[in-house]
Amino acid sequence: MELLLLLLLTAALMLCTAAGQSFLLALVFGLLLFLAYGLRKGHRLPALLRAAWSGAGEVRGVLVSLLLIGLLSAAWRAGGTIAYLVSLADRLCTPQTTLALCFLLCCLVSFLTGSAFASSATMGVVSMALAQRMGLPVWLAAGAVLGGVYFGDRCSPISGSALLVAEVTRSSIHGNIKSMLRRGWVPFLLSLGLYAVLGCVLGQGGGDGGSMWTGFVLHPLALVPGGLILLCTLLRVNSRWTLLSGIASALVLAVVQQGCTLAQLPGLLLWGSQRGGGLFQGGGVASMVPALLSVALSAAYTGIFRLTGFLEPLRRACAKLRGGTAFRYSCVSLLTGMTACNQTLTILLTKQLLEGEEQGAAQALRLEDSAVLLPAVIPWSTAFTVPAAAMGVGAACLPGAFFLYLVPVWDVVREHLPVCGTRRAGGPSRRARNTGAKTLLTPGPNCAKL
């Protein structure tokens, strides 16, 4: 029965995606399905509702951060930060360097904004226009953008997915970021190298670097909000204060440099920026409502699953998978991503299905290297369809998203490297050391070098 219910949820999510309807309808349908399952198992409705509320309550910190991300997105648009970054990209691009720069700049913008969706709708759109003007294959440019926007979605201190993973694994967001950057530099450099080589081979024609926007005062001070976020991250400032620093500084720029009035700021923060044409419009609290509801509903599922034991049969099946911890996380993430059709539920389901594998920061890193990225390679998942719709491309671009594949592959390879000392002959090592509320894998002596 459990598998049948998950298949029904998958069908509902795919139907909503195909019909162009909000996937929130399918998530509400799934909530009703799981409540009915709990009633059939003999649980009373008040107990089920309390369990759902408890599950949603576990991610309240993420919900607050998502609200702040919406404010940040609007403030950066109004303050000219996004426009200035776009202007830099336009000046730097040549046919040979466009692919690598598209990837690099999307990595930068996604790290600063913490959102793959916002990055694909801003720098991603501009990158596609630049690639087309330089005569580069659209599918390859879109793949570079897709990998770049999920670079920051994975390891930005203000990323909703990174905050969610830290929240549900009870680990430190700043500690997770440091480890993710250390573990991700090999896939990052490999991806960048591939785009650089392909750019040199395929680059042809030329561009004049003309302006693609109007209505903004372009000044290097527009980089201050991003600099503050980077500084706060290095100093390990609380993520909410980090977000607030980026919001406040961008609002000052909006008033001082871009001509916004104080009376316009409340509407700007609520409904988003309306300046600079469609490319730079958006953000605000309203833009985050779907994400807020998605996280809350998906987290409510987990509370019901705990009460009813819904995932126990599936967890036993997952325990039979062989090939190492990283391989199991990747396989389960792909399967749950195909079922859940969104990143949030993929993270939560993968965590629960592999609960006994690792804990704390170690589990957070496994989730970041699998459940955060792999939903974006599933053509019917919202993790792919939303950025793809913003760029105007289809699933043909997925082979070009090298970073999305190289991170989980490198995690599997890294686990099997002899210098890491994380495997014994015959299977994966389960050695761990408990440190308070966290459980961390004990790495080999040379593992930090990787």
Side-chain angles (χ1 to χ4, degrees), residues 24 34-35 87 121 187 211 235 283 385 391:
L24 293 174
F34 298 134
L35 288 173
S87 73
S211 296
L235 296 177
T385 57
M391 294 184 288

Side-chain angles (χ1 to χ4, degrees), residues 24-179:
L24 293 174
L25 297 174
L27 290 178
V28 172
F29 171 71
L31 182 62
L32 296 177
L33 279 181
F34 298 134
L35 288 173
Y37 171 86
L39 292 173
R40 190 175 186 278
K41 287 291 185 178
H43 298 279
R44 298 179 64 85
L45 183 59
L48 291 168
L49 292 176
R50 284 195 298 271
W53 181 259
S54 173
E58 291 179 357
V59 296
R60 58 184 175 273
V62 176
L63 299 178
V64 173
S65 296
L66 287 175
L67 281 174
L68 292 175
I69 289 170
L71 298 176
L72 180 79
S73 181
W76 279 29
R77 283 171 164 85
T81 299
I82 297 296
Y84 189 74
L85 288 171
V86 169
S87 73
L88 292 178
D90 198 35
R91 296 171 195 169
L92 292 171
C93 280
T94 67
Q96 291 73 32
T97 62
T98 294
L99 285 176
L101 283 173
C102 284
F103 175 67
L104 275 175
L105 292 169
C106 286
C107 288
L108 173 63
V109 173
S110 64
F111 185 83
L112 293 176
T113 62
S115 171
F117 293 175
S119 303
S120 59
T122 52
M123 185 57 73
V125 174
V126 175
S127 297
M128 294 302 298
L130 291 171
Q132 290 177 24
R133 190 170 64 178
M134 301 296 178
L136 294 166
V138 172
W139 68 269
L140 189 56
V145 170
L146 195 62
V149 299
Y150 276 99
F151 171 88
D153 200 80
R154 170 180 176 263
C155 63
S156 170
I158 57 175
S159 163
S161 61
L163 291 166
L164 174 63
V165 169
E167 188 90 10
V168 298
T169 58
R170 293 181 172 84
S171 55
S172 165
I173 179 68
H174 295 293
N176 292 346
I177 290 169
K178 182 179 178 181
S179 298

Side-chain angles (χ1 to χ4, degrees), residues 325-378:
T325 303
F327 180 76
R328 281 193 290 275
Y329 268 87
S330 294
C331 289
V332 172
S333 295
L334 279 173
L335 292 174
T336 55
M338 292 177 184
T339 301
C341 298
N342 72 86
Q343 188 188 61
T344 301
L345 190 53
T346 300
I347 292 170
L348 296 173
L349 285 176
T350 302
K351 177 188 179 297
Q352 289 203 342
L353 288 172
L354 297 173
E355 191 68 63
E357 292 281 338
E358 294 173 328
Q359 301 294 328
Q363 186 180 47
L365 294 175
R366 296 294 189 196
L367 291 171
E368 294 285 3
D369 289 347
S370 56
V372 170
L373 297 180
L374 290 176
V377 305
I378 299 171

Side-chain angles (χ1 to χ4, degrees), residues 215-303:
F216 289 99
V217 176
L218 300 180
H219 193 279
L221 283 176
L223 297 178
V224 168
L228 283 175
I229 284 182
L230 289 175
L231 179 61
C232 290
T233 302
L234 292 174
L235 296 177
R236 297 197 173 191
V237 176
N238 180 277
S239 60
R240 295 180 190 176
W241 287 109
T242 299
L243 286 166
L244 286 171
S245 70
I247 294 168
S249 57
L251 290 178
V252 171
L253 291 173
V255 173
V256 174
Q257 280 195 334
Q258 307 299 335
C260 290
T261 65
L262 293 177
Q264 291 175 324
L265 294 184
L268 164 74
L269 294 174
L270 183 59
W271 302 109
S273 175
Q274 303 302 318
R275 299 188 59 192
L279 182 62
F280 300 104
Q281 292 178 355
V285 173
S287 69
M288 300 306 297
V289 169
L292 289 165
L293 293 176
S294 173
V295 170
L297 286 170
S298 300
Y301 290 177
T302 65

